[in-house]
Amino acid sequence: MKKFLEKYSIYLLILAFTLLYSAWSVNRHNHFGTDAVDLGIFDQPLWHLSRFEPPLSSIKYNQFPGANLFGDHFHPILILASALFWLWDDVRILLILQAVVVCLAALPLYKIAMKILQNQALSLAVIFSYLTFIGLQAALDYDFHETALAVLPLAVALYALVFSRFRLFWLSFVLGLLFKEDMPLYFFFIGALAALRFRKYRIGILTMILAAAYYLLVTQKIIPYFKGDRFAYEELPPELGKTTVDLIKTTVISPWKTFLAMFFPILKLKTILNYLASFSFLPLFDPLSLILTIPNGLARFLTQLPQRWIIRFQYGAVLAPLLSFGTIYGVRNILSLIERRARVQKYVSRVLVLALLAAPLIETGRTGTPLFKMLNPQYYSDSPAYQINRELLARIPKDASIMAQSAFVPHLTHRAEIYRYEDTLLPQTQPQYILMSLEEHSDPPYTLDQLTERVERLKTDPRYGIIYWDGIRLLMEKK
């Protein structure tokens, strides 16, 4: 049994979390916890791609930056993901894909840990911290995003550097660039790490040059082509300017402005500290590895958008393999300080194992990320209300146009026209069906009184007839 566990423990750990995260993600969807933004926005264009149609989203009908998925962000890897709909024409396959990919990234990280640390208990503890990282939990609890999938090429690229597998490195580099337009920035710093830590100067410099060139190509040419306008996702605070060039100038001339904007308001600093605490602050013992997190810090904290400053949402997922890598080398650096004192090193190793196991669990409790809920059977129990919702969804023809409350949208996205309910959109779109509920969440986030007011207004619309109304749920059809 001991030999079995030594050989297969990493695979059992990956399998356990794959099943857990898949079950939770699918359960959220089955219980109407997913949303038009962002699961619906991804699912409909991918469904179109699976049918060899342009990746358009009617959910983004009136939203910046337009209906084309590639005019928002550039992530052609999703073309490959869309082929999964040939196997199962259901949005839930995207949620399962996300859980599988996130957990698979643990394997190259484990191999790195085993090579560097030569200690299975420590290596498994690092992977446990990766799999339970609060940023990863938050991403898996918030629909589907290509950012979460990007953990795999990043983990593989780092593995390839450590093991000098250069063909694999370039493969992960090329594929990694296809995940999102900001991935070249991460590979730019991986290239810097290749030169500074591994003394692979040619690979490092070439990676940096190619990554920078590709980033400029995507943001200055490709995205503007699909969008019909310039790329504009910087959202810098006014004191730093409007563009990346302005940011560089400000940083050179007035570096304190950039420093203050990075860590304040205090919410930004709290988020950063919580991420580090999830790995027991061990990445701080390897400062060089922290350069890998620079793109995430710039995109999230040098911005005016408060939703990027918090742990909630998908923004922290990509940090999981990067902080895991820093943790591995941080642990190595700690142990190297006492390498001649075997007994002390053994004791410290055990303490580090406990710290790596406890830290993400403590942070889960502190930050309210959902791991403990995932392990609670009561969150998986169904209810008659959900069954009624499903019966109403089944009454809507598959090719019909519909406007629905945001909680229903991801259940209806495999069609040409699906709109998230907004007051101003109904006269413009005039869908065949309307579906609303006073019990399910809404986005825009209406209060119950606001939602009730809108439902009552819809009931009196002379253009539509009521198919179903039970005092909570409303299904209407155009006359």
Side-chain angles (χ1 to χ4, degrees):
M1 186 64 176
K2 183 179 179 181
K3 290 184 178 180
F4 175 84
L5 290 177
E6 287 178 354
K7 187 175 182 179
Y8 295 107
S9 54
I10 181 59
Y11 301 104
L12 294 174
L13 188 62
I14 290 172
L15 177 61
F17 275 93
T18 300
L19 294 174
L20 177 64
Y21 286 149
S22 296
W24 179 256
S25 300
V26 169
N27 182 69
R28 282 188 69 248
H29 180 73
N30 291 344
H31 291 180
F32 299 89
T34 53
D35 210 319
V37 182
D38 285 325
L39 182 57
I41 285 177
F42 277 103
D43 182 56
Q44 188 188 27
L46 265 65
W47 174 76
H48 278 303
L49 286 169
S50 74
R51 296 158 59 90
F52 303 100
E53 298 168 351
L56 303 179
S57 170
S58 59
I59 301 165
K60 296 173 72 66
Y61 175 83
N62 66 332
Q63 293 184 20
F64 173 87
N68 195 303
L69 184 68
F70 295 149
D72 187 4
H73 295 289
F74 190 64
H75 26 45
I77 195 70
L78 295 181
I79 297 173
L80 296 178
S82 70
L84 291 172
F85 288 136
W86 302 343
L87 302 176
W88 187 26
D89 191 21
D90 192 294
V91 65
R92 286 170 289 189
I93 201 167
L94 297 180
L95 300 174
I96 294 171
L97 169 68
Q98 181 172 250
V100 170
V101 169
V102 161
C103 292
L104 278 179
L107 187 57
L109 293 171
Y110 174 75
K111 291 183 179 296
I112 294 172
M114 284 295 291
K115 179 179 175 64
I116 302 302
L117 302 178
Q118 298 291 308
N119 183 310
Q120 188 175 35
L122 270 172
S123 299
L124 288 171
V126 170
I127 299 310
F128 181 82
S129 289
Y130 164 80
L131 290 168
T132 56
F133 174 54
I134 55 175
L136 212 55
Q137 291 183 48
L140 292 165
D141 193 47
Y142 181 55
D143 294 3
F144 171 87
H145 296 88
E146 80 288 15
T147 302
L149 302 180
V151 299
L152 183 57
L154 290 174
V156 171
L158 293 170
Y159 164 85
L161 279 182
V162 171
F163 285 84
S164 297
R165 297 185 60 180
F166 302 128
R167 289 183 180 179
L168 181 61
F169 175 80
W170 289 118
L171 177 63
S172 64
F173 174 75
V174 171
L175 291 177
L177 296 183
L178 304 180
F179 278 74
K180 197 178 177 183
E181 73 279 355
D182 63 352
M183 286 296 286
L185 302 179
Y186 290 97
F187 277 100
F188 180 91
F189 285 99
I190 288 177
L193 188 75
L196 296 173
R197 162 154 289 154
F198 300 105
R199 301 294 188 265
K200 297 177 172 65
Y201 298 109
R202 289 184 180 180
I203 288 179
I205 293 171
L206 183 57
T207 299
M208 295 170 73
I209 292 172
L210 292 175
Y214 182 77
Y215 178 76
L216 291 174
L217 174 66
V218 170
T219 57
Q220 302 305 311
K221 297 295 182 182
I222 297 178
I223 290 179
Y225 171 80
F226 288 108
K227 179 183 174 184
D229 196 359
R230 71 180 183 87
F231 176 74
Y233 256 101
E234 285 135 328
E235 302 288 350
L236 294 171
E239 65 270 21
L240 301 182
K242 294 183 177 180
T243 67
T244 302
V245 175
D246 293 337
L247 173 61
I248 294 171
K249 289 180 180 178
T250 302
T251 303
V252 171
I253 298 171
S254 306
W256 65 89
K257 289 184 179 180
T258 303
F259 176 83
L260 291 174
M262 175 67 77
F263 297 105
F264 299 95
I266 196 67
L267 177 60
K268 298 178 181 180
L269 182 58
K270 287 182 178 178
T271 297
I272 293 169
L273 291 175
N274 279 323
Y275 283 151
L276 291 170
S278 195
F279 286 94
S280 203
F281 295 99
L282 290 171
L284 295 178
F285 289 89
D286 186 52
L288 181 58
S289 68
L290 293 178
I291 66 172
L292 299 175
T293 67
I294 288 175
N296 189 266
L298 296 178
R300 294 184 61 188
F301 302 119
L302 292 184
T303 175
Q304 299 183 78
L305 303 176
Q307 65 267 30
R308 295 189 190 176
W309 306 345
I310 60 178
I311 294 169
R312 177 88 173 117
F313 307 127
Q314 75 278 13
Y315 303 112
V318 73
L319 290 173
L322 309 179
L323 290 176
S324 297
F325 184 82
T327 298
I328 293 167
Y329 277 87
V331 169
R332 185 204 65 172
N333 293 341
I334 291 172
L335 294 179
S336 66
L337 295 175
I338 50 175
E339 61 184 348
R340 295 184 179 180
R341 303 178 66 181
R343 292 183 62 184
V344 175
Q345 191 178 68
K346 186 177 181 179
Y347 172 77
V348 171
S349 296
R350 290 175 178 174
V351 171
L352 290 173
V353 167
L354 292 176
L356 286 166
L357 296 177
L361 300 181
I362 293 170
E363 282 301 299
T364 294
R366 288 187 64 255
T367 60
T369 43
L371 180 61
F372 298 144
K373 291 180 182 178
M374 295 181 190
L375 298 170
N376 188 337
Q378 77 177 50
Y379 285 98
Y380 295 86
S381 60
D382 209 13
S383 78
Y386 299 144
Q387 185 57 40
I388 296 172
N389 287 347
R390 295 182 197 115
E391 291 171 0
L392 293 178
L393 291 170
R395 296 174 68 171
I396 301 168
K398 289 187 177 181
D399 59 349
S401 62
I402 179 168
M403 177 174 287
Q405 198 166 323
S406 56
F408 293 118
V409 168
H411 298 260
L412 296 161
T413 37
H414 287 195
R415 65 188 68 231
E417 291 185 65
I418 168 72
Y419 304 100
R420 179 180 66 167
Y421 175 81
E422 294 182 42
D423 294 338
T424 58
L425 274 186
L426 187 57
Q428 301 174 46
T429 57
Q430 297 190 35
Q432 293 171 267
Y433 289 84
I434 299 173
L435 179 60
M436 302 289 285
S437 172
L438 300 179
E439 286 187 345
E440 305 303 335
H441 71 271
S442 62
D443 182 20
Y446 300 121
T447 65
L448 179 58
D449 289 341
Q450 291 171 333
L451 200 53
T452 301
E453 177 188 349
R454 283 158 176 79
V455 168
E456 292 299 324
R457 189 191 311 152
L458 286 170
K459 287 166 57 181
T460 61
D461 192 319
R463 296 167 296 180
Y464 289 86
I466 297 175
I467 298 177
Y468 182 91
W469 169 244
D470 62 0
I472 296 174
R473 299 160 197 84
L474 174 66
L475 178 60
M476 305 179 73
E477 183 180 9
K478 192 175 182 181
K479 295 179 181 178

